[in-house]
């Protein structure tokens, strides 16, 4: 193979190098398999490419190189690879397939010039450019494995004059180590016991260590930048990764291993999940819906035999039903951000609120893959939870997509007797968690063995914010769950707020104040009904984005959403109107509008459909009310009166109660 590399260079290569415009007089060094090559004619720069003149192709080279003068075609044959290149033709033929090149072969001074980067990739050669020293490196490709996974196509090894150099950022990512840049080229690698400073052109050094403080040096070598990627000496890998590195330079094989044991999983105070590991780890986390789940993938890790043995009689979990989260990588689709109050899409567009995006390939959001049939490398296990021994401790409405209409109407006898808000208001946060657990189930598996990944899934009774804290003993996942859903949940949204005043009235008043006053009155009225659980999107003069309002309702699995507004247009414009978007909201809109219209006494502008963001993207029946026009002298004067606002709030409460009793 080495003789083949020399042959390719002797045939003459063109290597595109960024940043060489105008650098016609500077020399370029060539290093092939760690040895500097000096052709009889020095390399030169032409049209921002490095050219190396050809010599007579010698017999006995590792590859056969044939020249057809009639067709002006060179044929390079090596093992099972046949590459044909024709002068001035940008299309090559690789094993019978047409392939585009970045530059066509050409003749200069009776010598043929070839595009090196293309030939290198086609013939399995590693080619790299070091801009600092203006050096081109050419060598055979290495086989590289990380924890048993073949990453040869993702991690490049460059054979420099003294030793191999490896690209560190990709390796660190595969091992679950943290890398970050403090400056453009200054990388910090955290292996959880030491912080390494990695800067091209400078020696590797430790800036922070669990054993010592301050700066300390280690035998490591000088960092380089090849192909504008940070590379380090192969001999420094064990220090950098705290793993084991086995090399066979003759066979060109490098095997890197850094595995951490998952030694236990425990739950504390109902909202803190601890994952004990043999050394610090950095998980990849994402969320799923239907039901709400938090998924943690711990790279370069295995379930310890001691941990599995400690579970006693716990056997493999069912592997056939609701375990797609631990069998396949699926990530919740990001919600669309709201810039305008109204969307422009057609009202009949299918609801996409429950779609999820398959977007996982070793880490969340890096690519898509079809893994529906993928099974974990080992069985799936369920961790016993402390409160399960006492049986179900609550009748909280479960947040699943399989709930029937009948299930929605089931009300806890305690709720019927005391009322939702009476119960919640008399419980401390700790008592709420104890009575209504946030965690439904914790399951885990050896998700993959190539590469090694342990997956832990926290299935929740309701959505929860969370924070992950890593230390030398492992991980802590600290939950901040939403309140439990105990009754018929209504979200009351006071439109606008904070920096967004909404419409302006003829008296200088602003819409956000009217909306908030009516919403606060409505919340108080609705709380009088024991089976109603009421949540306000805002309780003061606070700005919320449209998407934040929607997420409050969707995250809490609300049963009804109402957004309160006032209108503005011409001074002569008058009337009350109610909007809905989805067909499921039509009955609610008509019931609310009938009650509201009787309260205002304003002209009837009817029930209408419109793609307002907050009623389009909510997952439950949702309406938006426009009480009257603040730009009309009479209607604005009425909306300034406290007694009128109370009357409006009472009509909305009556409408919601009417809908609940007769349509739900």
């Amino acid at each position: 193979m080495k003789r083949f590399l020399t042959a390719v260079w002797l045939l003459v290569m063109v290597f595109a190098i960024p940043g060489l415009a105008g650098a016609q007089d500077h020399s370029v060094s060539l290093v092939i398999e760690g040895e500097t090559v000096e052709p009889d004619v020095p390399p030169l720069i032409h049209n921002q490419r490095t050219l190396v003149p050809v010599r007579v192709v010698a017999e006995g080279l590792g590859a056969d190189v044939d020249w057809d003068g009639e067709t002006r075609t060179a044929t390079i044959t090596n093992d099972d690879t046949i590459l044909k290149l024709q002068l001035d033709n940008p299309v090559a033929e690789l094993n019978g397939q047409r392939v585009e090149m970045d530059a066509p072969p050409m003749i200069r001074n009776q010598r043929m010039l070839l595009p090196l980067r293309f030939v290198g990739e086609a013939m399995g050669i590693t080619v790299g450019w070091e801009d600092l020293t203006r050096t081109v490196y050419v060598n055979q490709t290495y086989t590289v494995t990380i924890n048993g996974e073949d990453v040869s196509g993702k991690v490049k090894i460059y054979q420099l004059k003294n030793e191999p150099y490896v690209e560190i950022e990709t390796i660190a990512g595969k091992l679950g180590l943290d890398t970050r840049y403090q400056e453009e080229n200054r990388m910090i690698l955290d292996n959880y016991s030491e912080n390494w400073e990695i800067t091209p052109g400078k020696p590797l050094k430790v800036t922070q260590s669990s054993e010592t403080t301050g700066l300390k040096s280690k035998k490591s070598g000088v960092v380089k930048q090849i192909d504008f990627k940070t590379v380090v000496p192969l001999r420094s890998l064990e220090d950098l990764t705290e793993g084991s590195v086995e090399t066979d330079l003759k066979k060109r094989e490098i095997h890197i291993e850094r595995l951490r044991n998952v030694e236990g999983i425990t739950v504390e105070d109902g909202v803190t999940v601890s994952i004990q590991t043999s050394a610090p780890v950095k998980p990849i986390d994402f969320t799923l819906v239907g039901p709400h789940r938090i998924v943690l993938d711990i790279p370069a890790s295995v379930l310890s035999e001691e941990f599995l043995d400690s579970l006693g009689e716990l056997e493999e979990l069912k592997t056939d039903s609701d375990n797609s989260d631990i069998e396949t990588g699926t990530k919740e689709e990001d919600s669309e951000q709201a810039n305008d109050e109204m969307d422009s899409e057609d009202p009949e567009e299918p609801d996409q609120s429950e779609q999820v995006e398959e977007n996982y390939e070793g880490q969340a959001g890096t690519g898509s893959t079809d893994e529906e049939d993928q099974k974990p490398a080992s069985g799936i296990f369920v961790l016993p939870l402390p409160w399960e021994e006492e049986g179900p401790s609550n009748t909280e409405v479960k947040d699943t997509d399989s709930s029937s209409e009948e299930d929605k109407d089931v009300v806890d006898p305690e709720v019927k007797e005391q009322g939702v808000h009476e119960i919640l208001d008399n419980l401390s946060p700790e008592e709420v968690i104890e009575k209504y657990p946030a965690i439904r189930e914790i399951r885990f598996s050896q998700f993959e063995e190539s590469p090694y990944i342990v997956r832990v899934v926290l299935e929740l009774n309701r959505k929860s914010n969370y924070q992950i804290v890593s230390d030398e003993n492992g991980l802590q996942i600290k939950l901040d769950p939403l309140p439990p859903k105990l009754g018929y949940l209504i979200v009351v949204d006071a439109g606008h707020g904070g920096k967004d005043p909404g419409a302006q009235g003829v008296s200088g008043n602003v819409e956000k104040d009217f909306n908030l006053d009516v919403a606060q009155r409505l919340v108080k009225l609705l709380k009088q009904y024991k089976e109603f659980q009421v949540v306000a999107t805002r309780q003061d003069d606070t700005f919320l984005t449209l998407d934040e309002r929607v997420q409050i309702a969707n995250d809490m699995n609300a049963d009804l959403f109402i957004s309160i507004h006032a209108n503005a247009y011409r001074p002569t414009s008058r009337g009350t109107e109610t909007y809905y978007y989805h067909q499921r909201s039509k009955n609610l809109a008509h019931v609310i509008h009938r009650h509201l219209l009787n309260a205002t006494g304003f002209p009837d502008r009817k029930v209408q459909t419109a793609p307002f963001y907050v009623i389009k993207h909510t997952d439950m029946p949702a309406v938006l009310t426009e009480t009257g026009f603040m730009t009309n002298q009479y209607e604005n004067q009425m909306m300034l009166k406290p007694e009128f606002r109370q009357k409006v709030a009472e009509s909305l409460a009556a409408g919601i109660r009417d809908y609940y009793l007769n349509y739900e």
Side-chain angles (χ1 to χ4, degrees):
M1 183 67 178
K2 182 174 179 180
R3 298 173 69 192
F4 165 65
L5 291 171
T6 306
V8 174
W9 274 106
L10 293 176
L11 190 61
V12 177
M13 300 297 175
V14 181
F15 181 39
I17 301 174
L20 289 182
Q24 301 289 326
D25 299 325
H26 297 288
S27 62
V28 174
S29 299
L30 307 175
V31 176
I32 303 175
E33 294 292 4
E35 298 180 4
T36 301
V37 174
E38 297 181 358
D40 54 351
V41 178
L44 58 90
I45 303 298
H46 178 76
N47 290 340
Q48 302 184 38
R49 287 173 169 81
T50 298
L51 308 183
V52 181
V54 68
R55 295 188 333 185
V56 177
V57 179
E59 294 184 357
L61 295 177
D64 293 326
V65 183
D66 296 325
W67 170 254
D68 187 334
E70 184 175 345
T71 61
R72 303 199 306 167
T73 300
T75 301
I76 303 174
T77 305
N78 182 61
D79 297 330
D80 296 329
T81 303
I82 301 176
L83 179 63
K84 294 184 179 181
L85 307 106
Q86 187 178 42
L87 281 177
D88 302 320
N89 187 351
V91 179
E93 183 180 304
L94 178 61
N95 290 335
Q97 300 294 319
R98 291 167 57 86
V99 184
E100 291 280 348
M101 296 183 290
D102 60 351
M106 52 187 172
I107 287 287
R108 287 293 183 273
N109 299 328
Q110 300 183 358
R111 290 173 172 83
M112 186 178 188
L113 313 180
L114 299 180
L116 175 61
R117 180 73 73 180
F118 171 80
V119 174
E121 292 174 355
M123 309 304 290
I125 305 167
T126 297
V127 179
W129 166 255
E130 184 182 12
D131 194 55
L132 183 65
T133 61
R134 300 175 56 80
T135 301
V136 177
Y137 298 99
V138 185
N139 55 267
Q140 297 180 51
T141 300
Y142 282 72
T143 297
V144 183
T145 65
I146 298 179
N147 290 331
E149 178 190 7
D150 190 341
V151 295
S152 303
K154 300 176 182 178
V155 177
K156 285 190 174 183
I157 309 295
Y158 302 97
Q159 185 65 48
L160 273 62
K161 296 179 181 179
N162 299 319
E163 62 182 322
Y165 268 62
V166 300
E167 188 216 329
I168 186 58
E169 192 166 7
T170 301
I171 293 175
K174 286 288 183 180
L175 294 175
L177 304 178
D178 183 36
T179 58
R180 61 189 183 276
Y181 285 89
Q182 292 190 345
E183 297 172 6
E184 183 178 358
N185 292 326
R186 183 168 170 256
M187 178 194 298
I188 301 298
L189 184 148
D190 182 2
N191 63 22
Y192 305 114
S193 63
E194 296 174 325
N195 280 358
W196 285 83
E197 181 180 301
I198 305 175
T199 307
K202 296 183 178 180
L204 286 162
K205 59 183 180 181
V206 178
T207 59
Q208 183 178 342
S209 171
S210 60
E211 299 177 356
T212 61
T213 57
L215 181 66
K216 71 172 185 177
S217 299
K218 280 198 172 186
K219 61 181 187 70
S220 53
V222 175
V223 181
K224 289 184 174 289
Q225 191 177 63
I226 299 178
D227 286 346
F228 302 99
K229 295 181 179 180
T230 301
V231 296
V232 298
L234 177 62
R235 58 188 162 92
S236 69
L237 267 189
E238 289 193 346
D239 285 341
L240 288 171
T241 65
E242 292 198 330
S244 65
V245 180
E246 295 183 3
T247 61
D248 188 330
L249 299 183
K250 290 184 178 180
K251 294 183 178 180
R252 294 185 177 271
E253 294 181 357
I254 299 174
H255 304 286
I256 306 165
E257 186 170 293
R258 181 187 189 272
L259 289 175
R260 299 304 187 240
N261 289 325
V262 175
E263 300 175 334
I265 303 175
T266 56
V267 182
E268 305 164 18
D269 60 36
V271 291
T272 303
V273 178
S274 296
I275 302 175
Q276 294 86 40
T277 58
S278 59
V281 293
K282 181 182 180 183
I284 299 162
D285 64 290
F286 58 96
T287 59
L288 297 172
V289 295
H292 288 294
R293 284 155 288 167
I294 299 171
V295 182
L296 297 102
D297 282 349
I298 307 175
S301 63
V302 294
L303 294 169
S304 73
E305 291 295 331
E306 292 78 7
F307 175 37
L308 295 179
D309 291 343
S310 71
L311 296 173
E313 298 180 357
L314 182 63
E315 297 294 337
E316 293 185 10
L317 175 69
K318 58 226 177 195
T319 58
D320 56 348
S321 56
D322 300 326
N323 298 299
S324 60
D325 48 29
I326 210 161
E327 294 176 4
T328 178
T330 313
K331 186 185 177 188
E332 181 179 357
E333 184 179 49
D334 292 334
S335 298
E336 176 184 351
Q337 291 298 315
N339 294 318
D340 299 307
E341 191 161 316
M342 184 180 291
D343 284 350
S344 60
E345 301 164 29
D346 295 333
E348 297 306 317
E349 177 193 67
D351 183 13
Q352 312 218 349
S353 60
E354 296 178 0
Q355 288 188 358
V356 294
E357 175 184 347
E358 293 186 10
N359 199 22
Y360 181 82
E361 192 178 74
Q363 62 180 17
T366 61
S368 62
T369 180
D370 183 8
E371 296 181 296
E372 289 300 326
D373 297 325
Q374 178 178 340
K375 298 296 180 184
S378 72
I380 303 171
F381 300 89
V382 170
L383 184 76
L385 298 175
W387 50 86
E388 289 180 339
E389 299 177 359
E390 304 173 0
S393 60
N394 69 85
T395 55
E396 176 184 349
V397 178
K398 300 301 182 184
D399 181 25
T400 66
D401 295 335
S402 59
S403 298
S404 66
E405 291 298 319
E406 295 179 357
D407 292 336
K408 287 173 60 178
D409 294 332
V410 174
V411 179
D412 183 358
E414 186 180 7
V415 171
K416 283 186 175 181
E417 181 179 346
Q418 299 184 44
V420 173
H421 292 283
E422 183 71 20
I423 294 173
L424 293 178
D425 292 347
N426 290 326
L427 293 176
S428 68
E430 293 77 17
E431 290 172 330
V432 169
I433 293 300
E434 182 179 355
K435 190 176 182 65
Y436 306 103
I439 302 172
R440 182 182 306 174
E441 185 175 88
I442 297 177
R443 51 186 176 268
F444 56 92
S445 78
Q446 187 69 55
F447 182 60
E448 290 187 16
E449 289 185 349
S450 182
Y452 284 95
I453 296 175
V454 169
R455 172 166 287 189
V456 180
V457 178
L458 280 58
E459 184 172 321
L460 308 176
N461 284 317
R462 52 193 181 272
K463 185 169 183 179
S464 176
N465 296 318
Y466 65 95
Q467 179 184 13
I468 298 176
V469 178
S470 299
D471 58 27
E472 64 274 8
N473 298 315
L475 307 168
Q476 278 195 338
I477 303 94
K478 299 183 178 181
L479 303 179
D480 181 16
L482 297 176
K485 181 180 177 181
L486 303 183
Y488 187 80
L489 202 151
I490 302 163
V491 172
V492 178
D493 174 45
H496 306 285
K499 66 180 181 181
D500 176 13
Q504 183 166 343
V506 293
S507 301
N509 52 312
V510 290
E511 181 192 355
K512 67 176 182 178
D513 296 334
F514 170 82
N515 298 342
L516 181 60
D517 190 7
V518 172
Q520 290 174 330
R521 294 171 187 267
L522 175 58
V523 168
K524 185 176 180 180
L525 290 167
L526 291 174
K527 284 185 175 182
Q528 296 176 4
Y529 299 100
K530 293 181 178 180
E531 65 268 48
F532 283 177
Q533 183 173 350
V534 190
V535 175
T537 57
R538 67 182 183 98
Q539 303 180 55
D540 51 27
D541 188 19
T542 303
F543 173 77
L544 293 174
T545 67
L546 301 179
D547 190 61
E548 286 173 332
R549 299 167 193 266
V550 167
Q551 288 304 311
I552 290 172
N554 288 346
D555 290 348
M556 297 198 69
N557 193 27
D559 297 294
L560 186 150
F561 176 91
I562 182 169
S563 186
I564 299 168
H565 288 259
N567 225 331
Y569 193 43
R570 298 189 180 98
T572 56
S573 298
R574 293 195 59 195
T576 298
E577 57 193 7
T578 303
Y579 288 92
Y580 73 97
Y581 178 77
H582 295 288
Q583 189 66 24
R584 62 173 176 258
S585 304
K586 183 176 180 179
N587 288 336
L588 174 62
H590 281 278
V591 172
I592 293 292
H593 185 72
R594 183 175 71 250
H595 285 270
L596 179 59
L597 187 64
N598 288 337
T600 65
F602 297 161
D604 185 3
R605 295 177 66 91
K606 309 297 182 183
V607 173
Q608 304 181 48
T609 60
F612 290 115
Y613 191 93
V614 294
I615 58 175
K616 177 180 177 180
H617 293 279
T618 39
D619 297 338
M620 68 295 303
V623 296
L624 184 149
T625 61
E626 296 280 9
T627 306
F629 281 82
M630 300 180 67
T631 49
N632 178 268
Q633 184 68 40
Y634 172 73
E635 292 190 356
N636 187 66
Q637 183 180 4
M638 293 297 295
M639 287 189 286
L640 285 172
K641 296 180 179 180
E643 58 269 24
F644 179 84
R645 295 180 177 185
Q646 181 66 21
K647 191 176 180 181
V648 168
E650 291 173 354
S651 73
L652 296 177
I656 290 171
R657 185 68 176 172
D658 185 354
Y659 175 79
Y660 171 74
L661 293 175
N662 296 294
Y663 291 90
E664 285 284 58

